[in-house]
Amino acid sequence: MGKGGNSHGDGEGEKNMAAWLTGINTLKIQPFELPPLGPHDVRIKMKAVGICGSDVHYLKNLRCADFIVKEPMVIGHECAGIIEEIGTDVKSLVPGDRVALEPGISCWRCHQCKDGSYNLCPEMKFFATPPVHGSLANQVVHPADLCFKLPDNVSLEEGAMCEPLSVGIHACRRAKVDPETTTLIMGAGPIGLVTLLAARAFGAPRIVVVDVDDYRLSVAKQLGADDVVKVTTDMQDIPDEVARIHEAMGRPVNVTFDCAGFNKTMSTALSATGAGGKVCLIGMGHGVMTVPLTPAAAREVDVVGVFRYKNTWPLCLDFISSGKIDVKPLITHRFGFSQKEVEEAFETSARGGDAIKVMFNM
């Protein structure tokens, strides 16, 4: 976990159990010893934990982008739970409070942290990003200031969904989406769909979603996309697909969010975005890409990077509590916390198909 902890702990009393990634395609529920409770920490009983695409990448490859799993690691980072114990200096929370957890602990000393961009902290300790352990466990210890109390009308599952939703919220802030921003979204996976919800909440007047999969496009339509465009994985189809995107939008594309991050999606995004617009790269599919940057630069199309999020939980909870955003339809599958169900849940998430967000109810 963010605060540390030891594997295979044999603490007295009932053991804290966690889902450990011990090898490729190997998850085992084993004891996990919690670190001591610091004065500004809280101990939380986990109640809802979602599976992220990065979790599946770690399971299948023992790596995600440049992060490599070199020793057994507790998985999971999209989470919410109930406060069990508070540190001596914690004033904002009490036992029994339901909270959503922001999973990254920054140093607050480096230039990025002091400048407000704590999501870029080089010393970030982030749940289930090696070598830091995650939160798919009975209990975790976490700083109180990264635990956000849930409004009464927000469920624990919705609290856990604040983590993926935060990516969409941060992206919309980075791209400066507002009621005059026509928005194109490349990819209708979980991040594409939360970006759709966020863009609508920010006031985007027209949103078009692009994907290769009919089912995901149908979900995007159900969630409020104004139009959808089915595409292929063939680079040669880009000119025709850009024309269809422009027809679907009916006006210039102001902002495009690439939620996949492949050569094809980024090339399409750069080609489809109108003069003076922005392409916001969220997905990390390809580490190195060959894309038509020069023609886009000649139209003064800006490329904006997105990495995780910062200061998003309060807005996420406001949007969910007020009804401006409904994340519940994204939760398609639910599992308990047993060895068999953990394996089945990850298989379901990895398979894709009609699975969007797979959630553990602890």
Side-chain angles (χ1 to χ4, degrees):
M1 282 164 289
K3 296 297 293 183
N6 302 309
S7 61
H8 317 299
D10 296 319
E12 295 180 6
E14 185 177 343
K15 290 180 180 178
N16 183 48
M17 306 300 286
W20 289 82
L21 174 61
T22 60
I24 289 179
N25 292 324
T26 306
L27 287 166
K28 294 181 180 178
I29 293 184
Q30 295 176 334
F32 182 47
E33 184 179 346
L34 292 175
L37 192 71
H40 299 284
D41 296 335
V42 291
R43 180 166 54 85
I44 310 115
K45 182 177 179 60
M46 287 289 96
K47 299 299 289 183
V49 181
I51 297 179
C52 174
S54 66
D55 296 322
V56 175
H57 274 292
Y58 286 127
L59 177 63
K60 297 295 181 184
N61 308 296
L62 292 184
R63 71 178 297 157
C64 184
D66 293 331
F67 300 105
I68 301 171
V69 179
K70 297 179 179 178
E71 57 187 25
M73 178 184 79
V74 176
I75 204 79
H77 63 268
E78 303 176 359
C79 54
I82 299 174
I83 301 293
E84 294 262 295
E85 184 182 4
I86 62 172
T88 54
D89 292 342
V90 174
K91 309 298 182 188
S92 58
L93 297 167
V94 297
D97 281 346
R98 302 176 315 123
V99 294
L101 283 67
E102 181 172 351
I105 305 172
S106 56
C107 75
W108 294 114
R109 294 183 300 274
C110 69
H111 172 74
Q112 286 87 350
C113 285
K114 289 181 177 181
D115 200 39
S117 297
Y118 68 85
N119 56 311
L120 304 179
C121 174
E123 302 300 321
M124 177 70 79
K125 294 178 173 62
F126 194 95
F127 279 159
T129 297
V132 182
H133 294 303
S135 59
L136 185 48
N138 297 134
Q139 298 186 11
V140 302
V141 168
H142 206 51
D145 65 348
L146 295 174
C147 297
F148 297 85
K149 190 173 178 179
L150 301 183
D152 291 343
N153 66 338
V154 174
S155 71
L156 286 154
E157 285 189 338
E158 290 172 300
M161 288 297 293
C162 285
E163 199 282 336
L165 179 58
S166 285
V167 177
I169 296 288
H170 182 56
C172 286
R173 284 176 173 169
R174 289 277 291 151
K176 295 181 168 58
V177 173
D178 63 25
E180 296 183 322
T181 308
T182 55
T183 302
L184 173 65
I185 296 174
M186 308 294 301
I191 294 301
L193 295 175
V194 294
T195 302
L196 160 63
L197 295 175
R200 185 63 85 208
F202 273 70
R206 186 163 181 81
I207 303 173
V208 174
V209 178
V210 173
D211 202 280
V212 298
D213 185 80
D214 284 320
Y215 172 73
R216 300 235 162 169
L217 289 175
S218 72
V219 173
K221 195 76 171 161
Q222 292 166 21
L223 290 175
D226 295 291
D227 208 343
V228 296
V229 176
K230 186 179 182 182
V231 295
T232 71
T233 57
D234 191 339
M235 295 287 288
Q236 294 183 346
D237 291 334
I238 289 177
D240 173 64
E241 291 168 357
V242 168
R244 290 195 288 123
I245 288 167
H246 287 164
E247 182 180 358
M249 188 65 78
R251 63 193 91 165
V253 176
N254 300 135
V255 168
T256 300
F257 295 102
D258 182 355
C259 300
F262 294 109
N263 271 328
K264 170 80 188 295
T265 54
M266 196 60 179
S267 296
T268 303
L270 289 166
S271 300
T273 303
K278 294 184 181 71
V279 172
C280 197
L281 178 57
I282 304 173
M284 301 171 70
H286 284 154
V288 178
M289 290 189 251
T290 302
V291 297
L293 204 54
T294 305
R299 301 196 315 282
E300 293 196 351
V301 173
D302 295 339
V303 177
V304 178
V306 169
F307 186 65
R308 292 175 179 156
Y309 34 69
K310 59 179 181 178
N311 300 315
T312 50
W313 260 253
L315 184 56
C316 286
L317 291 172
D318 283 347
F319 277 151
I320 294 171
S321 179
S322 67
K324 279 192 173 182
I325 287 180
D326 183 6
V327 293
K328 293 189 295 292
L330 298 178
I331 305 170
T332 54
H333 295 74
R334 293 171 173 85
F335 291 86
F337 188 54
S338 67
Q339 180 67 43
K340 180 182 179 184
E341 287 181 285
V342 166
E343 292 173 356
E344 288 179 353
F346 273 86
E347 288 169 7
T348 300
S349 184
R351 205 163 43 237
D354 64 347
I356 298 174
K357 181 56 62 180
V358 177
M359 186 72 66
F360 290 102
N361 294 135
M362 311 287 281

